[in-house]
Amino acid sequence: MTSDADECVTRRKVVVLKALDEEQMATLRERHDVVLLEGHDSAEALDAALHDALHDAHGLICSGHRITEALLDAAPALRVICTVSVGYDNYPLEAMDARGILLCNTPDVLTETTADVGFLLIMATARRAVELANMVRDGQWTHGLTPPHFGTDVHGKTLGMVGMGRIGAAIARRGALGFGMRVQYSNASPKPALESELGASRVELDTLLKTSDFVCVTVPLSEQTDRLIGRRELELMPASAILINIARGRVIDEAALIECLERGGIRGAGLDVFEQEPLPASSPLTRLPQVVALPHIGSATHETRRAMAQRALDNLLLALAGKSPLSAVNEANWTRR
């Protein structure tokens, strides 16, 4: 916590949708009046409770719940929303800008943990770890492995990064420095420092898809990246390639991916995000053996989730004190009140 946030300020009403730990909640309650919303059975019930709680609130801490313009209309005093996440596609940024509401997020603190999951998916899909572990668990390991059960090497292969932000760079470092992988990337802007550090090369997306053994998607979700990887893009990938998605589910056309996997268009997929979460049990992705599907665990460690919550808390306390937060999305459009 920064010292600036410890200055005496007017007590404000803060709504908390994402429970902090006891120490963090105690810190927040020392400074402001807190309404904790929890225990609602549905998103609709939570929306209704949030609508009522926000009418005189100045701050909101949340994660994952979609904030609508209608909720903002119900919150005329709202000054700051702090999301316990890096991504902010659940927040109507233009509407917040128009109202002078600050949006804070939590970059940096989850970079390495999320990159661990990205590389975990690379390893698990390449070596068929989940599929073969299930074979052992189910008592089907009755003889030595034969070629139909073999996986593929990771070391020395080509890693294609779709997006080269903080998390993408962290995954690329693991691949280049730890596994001797050749790294190429597609990104809106060049990354000369990473090119020098890792020997990475910037290429067009189509070239990356055609020439990578592993394609790892880390771009944020936006109008430009919605369904960025669709049927056409999947058909560019070689049959031996593996697709990894730790970005947002909608960056990949899920129906096209399922069809591609079912016909053997690519070797496999490692997925931590989906178009609908939780992933419905009826999804073919739950049954395809060449798919490793995780329940969106990117930042889900005790240490990282606490650090993210602390960053959100620090952001909120600083903003309500009229100070610049540690990390903000739209500070240039913020109306300090």
Side-chain angles (χ1 to χ4, degrees):
M1 167 64 69
T2 62
S3 59
D4 285 342
D6 291 328
E7 297 178 2
C8 293
V9 297
T10 303
R11 292 184 71 86
R12 305 286 189 176
K13 178 180 175 182
V14 175
V15 177
V16 177
L17 223 62
K18 173 73 173 180
L20 311 177
D21 67 22
E22 291 183 6
E23 181 181 351
Q24 291 165 340
M25 287 296 290
T27 297
L28 183 56
R29 287 186 170 119
E30 284 176 4
R31 294 161 174 77
H32 298 290
D33 300 322
V34 180
V35 175
L36 176 60
L37 298 182
E38 57 183 357
H40 296 87
D41 295 332
S42 66
E44 292 75 15
L46 182 55
D47 263 344
L50 187 56
H51 184 278
D52 292 341
L54 283 177
H55 78 279
D56 58 349
H58 298 87
L60 170 65
I61 295 179
C62 56
S63 175
H65 189 75
R66 183 170 294 280
I67 301 301
T68 64
E69 290 193 44
L71 285 172
L72 296 182
D73 288 340
L78 194 62
R79 296 173 58 189
V80 56
I81 297 176
C82 296
T83 177
V84 188
S85 66
V86 174
Y88 47 88
D89 45 283
N90 279 334
Y91 302 89
L93 195 57
E94 289 186 8
M96 293 178 66
D97 285 344
R99 293 164 173 79
I101 299 171
L102 181 66
L103 177 62
C104 299
N105 63 345
T106 61
D108 303 316
V109 294
L110 53 70
T111 297
E112 298 300 330
T113 298
T114 306
D116 284 348
V117 171
F119 217 85
L120 165 68
L121 286 169
I122 290 172
M123 294 296 298
T125 49
R127 298 305 303 268
R128 301 171 62 178
V130 174
E131 178 187 357
L132 297 179
N134 287 340
M135 183 179 76
V136 176
R137 183 197 62 189
D138 296 340
Q140 297 176 1
W141 184 31
T142 58
H143 51 75
L145 293 186
T146 56
H149 295 107
F150 291 174
T152 187
D153 284 335
V154 173
H155 64 271
K157 295 294 181 67
T158 298
L159 173 62
M161 299 302 308
V162 182
M164 198 63 141
R166 295 178 182 89
I167 294 171
I171 293 172
R173 287 191 182 94
R174 284 159 173 74
L177 304 180
F179 288 78
M181 301 181 83
R182 172 177 172 261
V183 175
Q184 54 187 9
Y185 71 99
S186 65
N187 198 67
S189 59
K191 301 287 183 177
L194 286 170
E195 291 176 14
S196 176
E197 176 189 359
L198 306 177
S201 56
R202 184 181 180 217
V203 298
E204 295 297 322
L205 177 60
D206 282 5
T207 300
L208 183 147
L209 295 171
K210 291 175 183 177
T211 59
S212 296
D213 299 300
F214 298 88
V215 174
C216 187
V217 182
T218 65
V219 293
L221 178 63
S222 67
E223 289 184 6
Q224 292 72 37
T225 63
D226 195 349
R227 308 298 195 278
L228 177 67
I229 307 296
R231 187 178 308 277
R232 187 192 76 85
E233 289 74 24
L234 290 166
E235 289 177 352
L236 295 176
M237 296 174 64
S240 59
I242 288 173
L243 179 65
I244 306 296
N245 188 12
I246 59 168
R248 285 290 187 266
R250 279 174 43 202
V251 174
I252 294 176
D253 184 332
E254 202 164 278
L257 175 60
I258 290 169
E259 187 275 332
C260 178
L261 290 164
E262 288 178 334
R263 64 175 172 80
I266 59 175
R267 183 188 294 272
L271 309 170
D272 191 40
V273 290
F274 305 90
E275 289 188 6
Q276 180 181 341
E277 296 182 4
L279 181 67
S282 59
S283 171
L285 293 173
T286 66
R287 300 188 297 277
L288 290 168
Q290 71 273 45
V291 172
V292 176
L294 298 177
H296 204 151
I297 68 168
S299 63
T301 67
H302 293 293
E303 301 92 336
T304 296
R305 287 293 174 87
R306 189 185 192 283
M308 291 169 66
Q310 187 64 49
R311 172 63 67 89
L313 174 59
D314 291 350
N315 283 336
L316 180 101
L317 295 178
L318 286 165
L320 289 182
K323 307 291 185 180
S324 291
L326 300 176
S327 46
V329 176
N330 62 337
E331 188 172 4
N333 299 315
W334 178 34
T335 302
R336 298 176 187 243
R337 288 174 276 166

